[in-house]
Amino acid sequence: MNADNVSDANENEAVEPMDQAAAKGTDERGPLEIAVAGGTGTLGRHVVEELRARGHRVRVLSRRSAEYPVDLSTGEGLAAALAGCDVVVDAANSTSPRTMRATLVDGTRRLLDAERAAGVGHHVCVSIVGCDRVPMPYYKVKTDQEGLVAAGRVPWTIVRATQFHELAASVFAASARARFLPASAGVPLQPIAAAEAARAVADAAACAPRDGRIEVAGPDRTDLRSLAATWRTGTGRRAVLLPVPLPGRLGRVLRAGHLTEAAPDVRGTTGFARWLAEQRRDA
């Protein structure tokens, strides 16, 4: 039985999505005026929905926003978008080598400066479990982003999450077009549904700043091969499971399980197989 089967067998058990005492030590406040940078992205749109469902007033910040157009790479629009805000959630993202530092590091610096000027009382940064231990350019940029937040003058909370089910599915869908799936058995992963990670981010945003980190992870530790096999079964796609060599330091770090968290502050409840089934049902 692979890890996703174990997960799906236990998903009917009562599991709280957020241990408030462990994560914050204070009750949720509200209603708050909350700006969400990257509020139209994979995670951000779920954060926006979750916060609005709780009665908070939410501003969606993005370059294409009709009401609050913001460009983190230049700072354009930030002052107007943050005026009167209590909390800012930074769910903006860029994985392009050309733009990721400008967006995630320089953009964070601009965002924190604008928050300070606007009197924002809480900055929530979305990051990645293990980013400070994985020798990849994107993870180094996320680590530098975290450092800016922690050293800044705006009270903060960093929410680190493991990889999303959505990311795994998109990687498999792209590789399946070439009739193979990356399937290294020795790479531990612990993916979580973006909607469940968003609830943890919303919990953090609605409570007092932690000035620390919250670790969010999926229900079970599995590996890339098991995820690939689950995706192939769940989608009915024809593709060969192909082990991907991971030499050197990067391979050692990934095989050591640094992208997983054995004792997260928040643990999701939806395994990859169940998530895939729900996507098919809702399509």
Side-chain angles (χ1 to χ4, degrees), residues 9-278:
N10 293 328
E11 282 171 350
N12 290 327
E13 296 180 4
V15 180
E16 291 295 329
M18 168 66 89
D19 182 342
Q20 290 283 4
K24 302 302 291 181
T26 186
D27 291 332
E28 184 168 326
R29 305 171 296 159
L32 299 170
E33 195 77 31
I34 303 177
V36 181
T40 59
T42 299
L43 176 72
R45 62 187 178 85
H46 290 294
V47 174
V48 169
E49 291 171 2
E50 183 70 24
L51 289 170
R52 284 178 172 163
R54 300 181 187 195
H56 299 292
R57 298 178 295 272
V58 182
R59 306 178 186 182
V60 178
L61 277 52
S62 74
R63 284 179 295 177
R64 297 178 178 84
S65 173
E67 193 171 3
Y68 298 104
V70 163
D71 188 345
L72 290 180
S73 67
T74 64
E76 183 179 359
L78 278 176
L82 300 187
C85 279
D86 301 300
V87 181
V88 171
V89 175
D90 186 6
N93 195 27
S94 172
T95 57
S96 166
R98 293 187 306 105
T99 62
M100 60 187 181
R101 181 162 290 274
T103 299
L104 300 176
V105 178
D106 299 337
T108 291
R109 186 179 291 108
R110 295 185 186 95
L111 189 56
L112 290 171
D113 287 346
E115 290 172 26
R116 178 77 176 169
V120 173
H122 188 188
H123 179 93
V124 179
C125 172
V126 177
S127 191
I128 307 169
V129 166
C131 65
D132 53 336
R133 292 171 287 183
V134 178
M136 294 175 63
Y138 176 69
Y139 286 79
K140 174 62 166 62
V141 167
K142 291 298 292 184
T143 301
D144 291 346
Q145 180 190 32
E146 286 192 8
L148 280 176
V149 172
R153 300 177 66 187
V154 178
W156 56 277
T157 303
I158 293 172
V159 181
R160 284 183 167 184
T162 53
Q163 283 67 37
F164 298 147
H165 293 327
E166 288 85 347
L167 173 62
S170 67
V171 169
F172 294 144
S175 61
R177 289 195 286 270
R179 299 299 179 91
F180 81 94
L181 300 176
S184 300
V187 180
L189 295 171
Q190 197 173 349
I192 186 170
E196 292 189 326
R199 285 197 287 274
V201 173
D203 285 339
C207 294
R210 181 184 179 91
D211 288 339
R213 293 168 177 80
I214 298 170
E215 302 275 332
V216 182
D220 296 292
R221 180 169 159 142
T222 181
D223 62 32
L224 189 58
R225 183 176 180 85
S226 294
L227 287 174
T230 298
W231 185 88
R232 184 173 65 174
T233 299
T235 60
R237 299 282 293 275
R238 293 185 178 182
V240 175
L241 301 184
L242 184 66
V244 177
L246 294 167
R249 183 184 171 208
L250 176 60
R252 291 193 297 273
V253 167
L254 294 181
R255 287 189 292 272
H258 289 312
L259 294 180
T260 66
E261 177 54 58
D265 300 296
V266 183
R267 188 183 295 273
T269 63
T270 303
F272 190 50
R274 176 175 160 186
W275 179 84
L276 283 171
E278 291 174 350

